[in-house]
Amino acid sequence: MKFFIDTANIDQIKEAKDLGVLDGVTTNPSLMAKEGISGDKAVIKHYEKICNLVDGDVSAEVIATDFEGIIKEGIALSKLAPNIVVKVPMIKDGVKALKYFYDNDIRTNCTLVFSAGQAILAAKAGANYLSPFVGRIDDISWDGMQLVSEIAEIYAIQGFETEILAASIRSSKHIVEAAKAGADVVTCPLSAILGLLNHPLTDIGLEKFLADHAKAKAKK
Ligand code: E4P
């Protein structure tokens, strides 16, 4: 399973990269706004910065919601760097655009996916990645991870090549569950990635090892 970081924050991207486990980055308009990035030029500059920083895929989301607008924006984004993946919303014109991008060798991530039906449609249209939003489904008291399992089962039966990118991940537990559910990629906040490190028995065990080592050394 690939690890993407879900942020537009350069320091956090650098920290995940330094850990040696980073395979890519996903952003969205809200994450860009959180970093104070607005205006076409600033957005483009920021994407270029992220793309230069990481080797893996960087999802850059279109703002347009009509077919022509999505195509225009997607083509411009795809020219920024070879590792750009155009993020397209799961709407009618978005599905049409996914097919256009597929036919024109522009890689895509279909976002805002909340049902297996949407997942089938995106795969039929040739999306490279599919982003089911696990946390947002949990937020309305449904089971977000169940959707990831369902899509994984359908894609395996049907032989769809679209990669399942579990998104809206809120915790380290979500990452483990996404791995079990058959996600190809998980995109998560830095805190959820770093949270995977934690176990009290690791801390206790290390403390004991180091104390025993110090004791043995003092005896010599
Ligand atoms: C990623 O592609 C999504 O935009 C993101 O994971 C959404 O996460 P959120 O539901 O925590 O905003």
Side-chain angles (χ1 to χ4, degrees):
M1 185 173 75
K2 287 185 263 186
F3 268 40
F4 287 2
I5 188 166
D6 195 26
T7 185
N9 182 286
I10 298 294
D11 290 338
Q12 291 188 12
I13 294 170
K14 279 185 186 162
E15 192 174 338
K17 189 187 172 191
D18 284 350
L19 195 60
V21 298
L22 189 65
D23 298 304
V25 178
T26 53
T27 62
N28 63 40
S30 305
L31 292 171
M32 294 292 271
K34 198 172 159 194
E35 299 308 313
I37 316 292
S38 65
D40 290 356
K41 274 190 188 156
V43 167
I44 284 171
K45 229 175 126 189
H46 201 71
Y47 280 137
E48 283 173 341
K49 210 169 176 182
I50 296 174
C51 289
N52 285 332
L53 196 60
V54 298
D55 297 328
D57 288 342
V58 175
S59 287
E61 189 159 342
V62 297
I63 305 297
T65 54
D66 63 295
F67 178 72
E68 282 78 16
I70 295 172
I71 299 305
K72 194 173 160 212
E73 252 186 83
I75 290 173
L77 287 169
S78 72
K79 286 182 179 158
L80 294 180
N83 52 341
I84 281 278
V85 172
V86 179
K87 210 170 170 190
V88 179
M90 171 38 77
I91 54 176
K92 196 174 179 187
D93 281 23
V95 172
K96 276 170 65 180
L98 289 171
K99 178 68 170 76
Y100 174 92
F101 289 136
Y102 176 79
D103 289 340
N104 287 276
D105 293 327
I106 292 174
R107 292 180 311 129
T108 54
N109 172 0
C110 180
T111 190
L112 290 167
V113 171
F114 295 94
S115 76
Q118 291 177 328
I120 292 170
L121 204 50
K124 284 290 294 175
N128 296 85
Y129 292 106
L130 178 94
S131 292
F133 276 32
V134 173
R136 292 193 195 186
I137 296 176
D138 288 355
D139 287 346
I140 58 160
S141 302
W142 289 12
D143 188 345
M145 213 50 80
Q146 173 56 36
L147 175 62
V148 176
S149 301
E150 200 182 348
I151 297 169
E153 191 184 343
I154 292 168
Y155 279 12
I157 292 169
Q158 297 297 331
F160 287 133
E161 286 174 9
T162 302
E163 291 189 68
I164 303 168
L165 193 168
S168 187
I169 292 293
R170 304 278 170 76
S171 65
S172 308
K173 191 166 177 258
H174 264 163
I175 298 177
V176 175
E177 287 170 352
K180 285 194 330 201
D184 300 290
V185 190
V186 69
T187 188
C188 27
L190 181 63
S191 58
I193 298 175
L194 296 179
L196 292 172
L197 287 164
N198 300 336
H199 198 289
L201 290 179
T202 304
D203 300 338
I204 293 167
L206 184 60
E207 204 178 313
K208 176 92 170 69
F209 285 157
L210 295 180
D212 288 346
H213 173 75
K215 255 192 259 169
K217 207 173 163 190
K219 271 188 195 164
K220 271 195 173 176

